[in-house]
Amino acid sequence: MASVIDQALLSGLNLLIGLALIRYASKETYGLYAQLFAAGLLTTTLLDALIGTALTTLSTRLASGDRTGFVARVARIYWAVAALLAVTAGVVLGAVAEWLDLPSSPMVLGLAFAAYTFAQACRQYCRTALFIEFNANAVVKMDLVFVLTTVAGSLALYLVQDVGTHHIFFLLALANGVASLAASVSLWRSVDQATARRQYREDGELLWSLSRWAVIGSVVGWLGNNSYLYFSGALVSVAALADLSAARLLLMPVVIVGTAWVTLALPAMGYMIANSEEAKIRRFVLTSTLAMEVLTLVYVGALWAAFPWLVAHVFGGKYNDITHLMLLSGGYFMVHNARNVTTVLLTGYGAFRELFWQGVLSLIILLAATLSLAPTWGVAGALAAMVLVELWELGVNYAYMLPRARRQHLALP
């Protein structure tokens, strides 16, 4: 429940922004926003794949004292990589801003985005470290500070007549920094200052032994999850893409629960796998899948019943014909959640290489299906292509990848 509350806090701001754009902005503006927001997720995805996921998988196999030291040492590696990635992202954004002649100063915009990227990474690592220790309450407190700081800063920006994109990035950087400062200082102090560079090198090599497949796979996964935004915009229209984004936005509570489950399930499954508790794993997978499927069905049914009210009071007359997209999105998330349970279990087994190749094949199937269905069926065709890929991955995971991962784990000495 603490994890669900945490995800609700973090998603609440995005939900309000989306609803505001749906109500007051043009479809073209909202469609472009959806594309840019998806592009911004790539930075977090890369850091999580490079260090975060491997850290969670490895730390669950360590004793309590060793785990605490390992997490604290890896924090320094993470901060160094995040700083390098933040500077790179800022330079790229500044160059793009100059090329597209955006109203904000390219240098200021790049600096703001770099600060945001690094501060966001710091808070994300603190969340990962706390979840590894099953301290979800501390995560909720930290993210509550982040949300409250962002809201207070937003109210202050409301008084500024000319608010630029760089103002928002600087605000988010400040909110992330304030929220994660105490936990980051604690991690810094937890490391023995006499730790040799050789220890950090060994830690990095250990992480890389798992994450080298996850990094490339994360890019493939990001493309699989977000390429529909760009293909739909190119093959149909940005305005039609806004219809799909609005329908998916209504399903955000389902996404919140799924994300919250993953955050806690990965370390939980890691402990069960380390102890070879196969019966517990099967029960955990079955219970989790059924709970999320029932929740999705109930929520989609409630949305369908409330759709006339949404048309009258939320959509502003611009999104009246998205019922089929909403229902299709509900079906997508039902399959996605069931598949995601199996993917998290495979991650716990350390099957990063297998998941990478699965992601490559899935991306190829997705592109072929989207190019075949979208020209005829529009954004509904793009969404149907995503459902087909999720069904394919779910079947492969249960029929082949999970049995293989279990056999390999049981064969270990």
Side-chain angles (χ1 to χ4, degrees), residues 176-245:
N176 277 289
V178 170
S180 60
L181 180 60
S184 296
V185 170
S186 177
L187 285 169
W188 181 272
R189 291 178 174 175
S190 297
V191 178
D192 184 355
Q193 301 303 317
T195 301
R197 292 184 179 180
R198 177 177 54 81
Q199 181 63 64
Y200 290 108
R201 185 168 59 251
E202 291 177 357
D203 290 338
E205 290 172 353
L206 184 60
L207 291 167
W208 182 246
S209 66
L210 289 180
S211 64
R212 66 179 184 271
W213 292 104
V215 170
I216 307 174
S218 69
V219 177
V220 173
W222 179 86
L223 289 172
N225 291 328
N226 298 284
S227 61
Y228 76 94
L229 291 166
Y230 306 99
F231 278 101
S232 297
L235 296 174
V236 187
S237 68
V238 176
L241 172 59
D243 288 336
L244 178 55
S245 298

Side-chain angles (χ1 to χ4, degrees), residues 44-54 210-212 214-218:
T44 302
T45 301
L46 282 172
L47 279 169
D48 190 53
L50 182 63
I51 297 176
T53 302
L210 289 180
S211 64
R212 66 179 184 271
V215 170
I216 307 174
S218 69

Side-chain angles (χ1 to χ4, degrees), residues 257 285-296:
V257 174
V285 167
L286 178 61
T287 303
S288 299
T289 303
L290 288 177
M292 286 191 285
E293 299 298 74
V294 170
L295 175 65
T296 303

Side-chain angles (χ1 to χ4, degrees), residues 94-370:
V96 171
E98 180 71 31
W99 177 47
L100 296 177
D101 195 23
L102 297 179
S104 299
S105 166
M107 182 177 296
V108 174
L109 185 60
L111 179 61
F113 190 72
Y116 160 73
T117 300
F118 181 73
Q120 166 78 359
C122 290
R123 187 175 63 84
Q124 182 61 33
Y125 187 86
C126 292
R127 296 179 77 252
T128 300
L130 290 170
F131 273 123
I132 287 174
E133 299 294 340
F134 285 99
N135 194 353
N137 290 331
V139 177
V140 173
K141 293 176 182 177
M142 181 176 65
D143 288 338
L144 180 60
V145 172
F146 167 69
V147 171
L148 292 177
T149 305
T150 304
V151 171
S154 299
L155 293 175
L157 285 180
Y158 180 75
L159 302 176
V160 180
Q161 293 184 351
D162 186 17
V163 177
T165 307
H166 58 283
H167 292 106
I168 299 174
F169 281 134
F170 276 129
L171 170 60
L172 291 174
L174 175 64
N176 277 289
V178 170
S180 60
L181 180 60
S184 296
V185 170
S186 177
L187 285 169
W188 181 272
R189 291 178 174 175
S190 297
V191 178
D192 184 355
Q193 301 303 317
T195 301
R197 292 184 179 180
R198 177 177 54 81
Q199 181 63 64
Y200 290 108
R201 185 168 59 251
E202 291 177 357
D203 290 338
E205 290 172 353
L206 184 60
L207 291 167
W208 182 246
S209 66
L210 289 180
S211 64
R212 66 179 184 271
W213 292 104
V215 170
I216 307 174
S218 69
V219 177
V220 173
W222 179 86
L223 289 172
N225 291 328
N226 298 284
S227 61
Y228 76 94
L229 291 166
Y230 306 99
F231 278 101
S232 297
L235 296 174
V236 187
S237 68
V238 176
L241 172 59
D243 288 336
L244 178 55
S245 298
R248 287 170 63 90
L249 183 69
L250 296 175
L251 273 295
M252 184 172 285
V254 176
V255 178
I256 291 172
V257 174
T259 305
W261 177 86
V262 170
T263 303
L264 288 180
L266 184 54
M269 285 186 176
Y271 286 119
M272 286 186 279
I273 290 171
N275 295 322
S276 299
E277 298 173 323
E278 291 296 323
K280 281 189 177 181
I281 293 174
R282 286 192 293 270
R283 187 164 59 252
F284 187 76
V285 167
L286 178 61
T287 303
S288 299
T289 303
L290 288 177
M292 286 191 285
E293 299 298 74
V294 170
L295 175 65
T296 303
L297 274 175
V298 171
Y299 181 73
V300 171
L303 273 183
W304 192 15
F307 194 78
W309 183 90
L310 292 172
V311 168
H313 298 91
V314 178
F315 295 157
K318 291 177 289 186
Y319 297 88
N320 299 348
D321 301 319
I322 63 171
T323 310
H324 65 295
L325 294 178
M326 183 184 69
L327 294 175
L328 193 54
S329 295
Y332 164 79
F333 280 112
M334 288 192 67
V335 182
H336 171 79
N337 286 336
R339 191 273 306 162
N340 208 29
V341 172
T342 63
T343 299
V344 171
L345 182 54
L346 286 166
T347 302
Y349 279 117
F352 293 101
R353 188 164 121 182
E354 292 81 358
L355 288 171
F356 163 73
W357 287 115
Q358 182 193 63
V360 171
L361 290 175
S362 296
L363 182 58
I364 294 172
I365 295 172
L366 177 64
L367 296 180
T370 302

Side-chain angles (χ1 to χ4, degrees), residues 15-27:
L15 178 61
L16 290 176
I17 292 172
L19 291 176
L21 289 172
I22 287 174
R23 185 66 177 85
Y24 299 109
S26 66
K27 285 190 174 184

